[in-house]
Amino acid sequence: MDVSPLQVRTLPTAPYADQKPGTSGLRKKTYVFETKQDYLQNFIQSVFSSIDLRDRQGSTLVIGGDGRYLNKSAIEVIVQMAAANGIGRLVIGQNGVMSTPAVSCVIRKIKAIGGIILTASHNPAGPSGDFGIKFNISNGGPAPEAVTDNIFQISKTLEEYAICPDLRVDLSTIGKQSFDLENKFKPFTVEIVDPVESYANMLRNIFDFSVLKEMLSGPNHIKIRLDAMHGVVGPYVKKILCEELGSPANSAINCVPKEDFGGHHADPNLTYAADLVETMKGGEYDFGAAFDGDGDRNMILGKHSFFVNPSDSVAVIAANIFSIPYFQQTGVRGLARSMPTSGALDNVAKATKIQLHETPTGWKSFGNLMDAGKLSLCGEESFGTGSDHIREKDGLWTVLAWLSILATRKQSVEEIMKDHWQKYGRNFFTRYDYEEVDADAAYKMISDLEAVMSDKSFIGQKFSVGEKMYQVQKADNFEYSDPVDGSVSRNQGLRIIFTDGSRIIFRLSGTGSAGATIRLYIDSYEKDPQKMYQDTQDMLAPLVDIALKISQLHQKTGCSGPTVVM
Ligand code: G16
């Protein structure tokens, strides 16, 4: 197919100095769709310019998105620009759709130099929703700081971008399309692939599908309910859980990806997945799960909506890890959680003598540890769990991990969770989000708090609420030295650690799209079996009081309470 010559177009004169392009590596602006003219073109040209010209011809990039509004039109522009920039080959999910875990899987499988993911993750979609662009590198994970900084530097001075404006790609037909370009770069190929196939194949090699099939469709099958929330994961659920593992069609709902996620907020938590929670309360289903827009997050529920806290979820998987055949082959190289995630995983690591890593929020540090062979399983409190099978968190993998545990233990979700607490103790955990806070007030509150915490007299201070008394043992701003590349990440969150191990953590979100989001995390360990089943909010109320008192959060930001409690 012949296309018109490459064009070089001028970008708006004002450089993008104030906008770090939104890769997840550049977390500050990840999900903000900048409305400045040609933002997409600037971002993509900066990514391509960061790849040495000599390497582009022989290279392959994987492209996919979560199907939200602008997904397809953005991919059409990316294809035109890839051609003009001399990229040899693109592999794209059919109709431009591919889940984040699947992109990671395909990058690794075909040894691509990286991938571009069009997603704003768990944030709302549609014409008035969010949009984002992510750049992943050849290990299948989010680009590290060194790469994103380079892209950012390029973006600041970029004046032009290259494009083949007449190149028309057919995103709907599976197969190869070749384009002869009237320039020195040729041929340019685009391969449209089934977005589910490689990913499903990977899962077949990780889990025992015959055991899962028996549990989901055999004579004594359990009943499950999976809510794809009109995000990208619907076709994966249908193909893998329903077609292949035999779960009836009505066990999977909201499976057609929509540009606006059906007007819902595709974020799997008790607030936004309320429909699933309601349905599960009825007791008809034994197991439930919901996913976010791009398929990397998950929420696990048991019968009657028994909620599995994500920090507990990764701990349970760790404690039962050999229910998953993959780990029988690889062994367990290490466990990891992000700093604000509860210490539930630490209890398992301690008991099993497996090395535990505590990393900054986000998936990048996990990827480094995995590449270095130091990490097998990891998770975050924000509904993310995953393993070294790819370099992103993985919602559907987590569901199959839980189902494998259910199959091995022949117990319900609730029984498994309660047994776990009896054995390891329970970490009560909650997160308060204060969204759309005035940014200046939020930064000031955090810096004032850091000043209070840095005062020598703060260590040893006692705080009492009712009968409860907590004494400060340690207070700092979390810092992480990456044991693999030696990089140091500072200012990762303020931690107040008490003598009984309870923790209060404050940090500013890196993914919000309006104002600032303050996150307050509370984590408290309990080993008294009598108190094990108490209500989380009741148990943690004294620590919440102390956190608000020390930080003066409400007074300093004008907030009267959190917008979301998890
Ligand atoms: C939030 C969560 C993090 C998570 C990040 C990206 O970041 O708190 O745990 O890693 O989103 O999640 P996703 O890959 O699903 O977009 P923050 O900085 O807003 O707290």
Side-chain angles (χ1 to χ4, degrees):
M1 190 187 294
D2 286 335
V3 292
S4 80
L6 170 162
Q7 286 181 11
V8 174
R9 291 184 178 172
T10 308
L11 280 160
T13 44
Y16 289 71
D18 59 329
Q19 313 175 8
K20 278 196 165 193
T23 73
S24 75
L26 296 168
R27 295 168 43 75
K28 288 285 175 243
K29 292 278 180 187
T30 305
Y31 303 118
V32 186
F33 178 56
E34 300 291 349
T35 49
K36 283 196 184 172
Q37 197 194 332
D38 293 342
Y39 180 81
L40 170 72
Q41 288 81 348
N42 180 290
F43 187 108
I44 296 301
Q45 185 60 56
S46 303
V47 169
F48 291 156
S49 298
S50 74
I51 304 166
D52 194 309
L53 198 57
R54 286 163 302 188
D55 296 335
R56 292 187 208 164
Q57 271 286 269
S59 67
T60 300
L61 274 174
V62 180
I63 317 279
D66 61 16
R68 70 179 59 221
Y69 181 70
L70 290 179
N71 187 94
K72 223 168 158 185
S73 49
I75 290 182
E76 281 159 5
V77 171
I78 293 169
V79 173
Q80 293 173 342
M81 290 183 65
N85 277 278
I87 301 290
R89 174 179 170 232
L90 297 180
V91 170
I92 308 178
Q94 190 178 25
N95 297 317
V97 165
M98 199 183 278
S99 76
T100 293
V103 172
S104 185
C105 158
V106 175
I107 291 173
R108 293 169 68 77
K109 185 180 166 205
I110 66 172
K111 298 191 171 30
I113 58 158
I116 296 171
I117 311 175
L118 293 311
T119 176
S121 187
H122 52 288
N123 291 308
S128 55
D130 290 332
F131 187 81
I133 316 162
K134 242 178 100 156
F135 179 56
N136 281 23
I137 57 167
S138 60
N139 75 349
E145 205 85 8
V147 174
T148 52
D149 270 349
N150 182 31
I151 295 169
F152 177 44
Q153 293 310 326
I154 294 169
S155 78
K156 287 203 288 187
T157 52
L158 198 69
E159 290 176 349
E160 293 170 338
Y161 64 91
I163 190 160
C164 291
D166 296 339
L167 188 153
R168 296 278 169 265
V169 65
D170 172 9
L171 294 175
S172 63
T173 310
I174 288 183
K176 256 189 204 154
Q177 298 165 48
S178 275
F179 300 91
D180 286 326
L181 306 182
E182 293 176 10
N183 60 25
K184 55 186 187 265
F185 309 126
K186 54 165 124 171
F188 170 63
T189 57
V190 174
E191 204 172 323
I192 307 298
V193 297
D194 177 336
V196 183
E197 197 177 277
S198 294
Y199 177 80
N201 206 24
M202 174 185 70
L203 292 188
R204 284 180 204 117
N205 291 318
I206 293 175
F207 299 100
D208 188 335
F209 269 35
S210 58
V211 167
L212 296 177
K213 189 167 184 177
E214 179 67 20
M215 189 177 61
L216 295 178
S217 53
N220 299 314
H221 69 90
I222 64 164
K223 283 184 85 177
I224 64 172
R225 180 92 165 172
L226 304 178
D227 190 344
M229 298 180 87
H230 289 304
V232 72
V233 90
Y236 295 79
V237 170
K238 280 275 179 209
K239 168 83 185 130
I240 298 165
L241 272 298
C242 300
E243 278 175 40
E244 199 148 329
L245 298 176
S247 203
N250 69 358
S251 55
I253 54 164
N254 299 327
C255 282
V256 178
K258 294 198 172 157
E259 286 199 337
D260 63 351
F261 298 158
H264 298 297
H265 192 155
D267 193 359
N269 58 44
L270 293 172
T271 306
Y272 296 125
D275 288 353
L276 177 72
V277 176
E278 264 321 292
T279 307
M280 291 290 297
K281 274 184 187 159
E284 188 188 339
Y285 298 95
D286 303 291
F287 178 91
F291 307 91
D292 73 338
D294 64 329
D296 56 358
R297 296 183 176 207
N298 74 90
M299 176 177 72
I300 303 291
L301 297 175
K303 204 177 181 120
H304 300 296
S305 274
F306 180 88
F307 174 62
V308 179
N309 184 295
S311 301
D312 282 336
S313 176
V314 64
V316 168
I317 297 172
N320 296 280
I321 199 153
F322 295 117
S323 302
I324 302 166
Y326 172 85
F327 294 112
Q328 293 167 11
Q329 287 155 27
T330 65
V332 186
R333 303 178 175 120
L335 303 170
R337 63 163 172 84
S338 63
M339 183 275 282
T341 301
S342 96
L345 188 61
D346 307 32
N347 308 330
V348 179
K350 210 186 224 169
T352 53
K353 297 193 171 54
I354 297 171
Q355 165 96 43
L356 177 101
H357 304 270
E358 185 179 27
T359 63
T361 297
W363 218 254
K364 276 183 299 172
S365 311
F366 295 148
N368 259 5
L369 292 166
M370 288 171 182
D371 287 352
K374 291 174 184 296
L375 176 60
S376 294
L377 172 74
C378 55
E380 292 196 278
E381 51 70 39
S382 53
F383 298 85
T385 331
S387 95
D388 62 353
H389 65 290
I390 53 171
R391 297 294 181 269
E392 291 277 3
K393 53 187 173 260
D394 192 341
L396 207 50
W397 175 92
T398 309
V399 164
L400 295 195
W402 265 92
L403 291 174
S404 303
I405 295 168
L406 257 55
T408 307
R409 297 191 45 154
K410 307 204 178 340
Q411 284 177 299
S412 70
V413 171
E414 184 168 345
E415 284 163 350
I416 290 170
M417 199 65 253
K418 287 184 168 168
D419 276 3
H420 186 92
W421 291 333
Q422 292 297 337
K423 184 166 177 192
Y424 297 97
R426 177 173 180 187
N427 279 75
F428 284 91
F429 179 84
T430 191
R431 181 176 115 184
Y432 282 28
D433 287 349
Y434 294 80
E435 294 164 314
E436 300 194 21
V437 180
D438 174 72
D440 290 340
Y443 287 117
K444 175 135 186 7
M445 189 283 282
I446 292 283
S447 65
D448 289 354
L449 176 60
E450 189 166 10
V452 169
M453 289 167 50
S454 314
D455 194 297
K456 275 202 190 101
S457 67
F458 191 68
I459 308 296
Q461 260 194 47
K462 291 177 181 162
F463 295 91
S464 301
V465 177
E467 289 169 4
K468 283 286 223 177
M469 198 278 290
Y470 295 91
Q471 184 170 19
V472 179
Q473 185 175 56
K474 187 178 170 183
D476 67 1
N477 193 336
F478 181 65
E479 233 182 68
Y480 178 73
S481 299
D482 191 305
V484 180
D485 66 16
S487 63
V488 179
S489 309
R490 300 198 167 83
N491 294 319
Q492 296 298 316
L494 301 179
R495 299 191 291 184
I496 303 171
I497 304 174
F498 297 96
T499 47
D500 74 340
S502 297
R503 301 185 303 155
I504 291 174
I505 293 149
F506 286 92
R507 57 179 284 282
L508 292 173
S509 154
T511 60
S513 48
T517 297
I518 302 169
R519 303 204 197 283
L520 161 62
Y521 311 79
I522 311 275
D523 174 22
S524 186
Y525 180 69
E526 183 59 66
K527 57 177 183 303
D528 180 352
Q530 303 303 316
K531 296 187 181 154
M532 213 66 94
Y533 306 129
Q534 290 190 10
D535 177 73
T536 299
Q537 294 305 325
D538 290 347
M539 284 296 278
L540 299 179
L543 283 163
V544 171
D545 271 8
I546 293 169
L548 295 178
K549 193 169 148 200
I550 301 175
S551 64
Q552 299 280 295
L553 193 157
H554 290 183
Q555 293 85 334
K556 290 190 172 174
T557 60
C559 300
S560 54
T563 37
V564 178
V565 174
M566 292 202 269

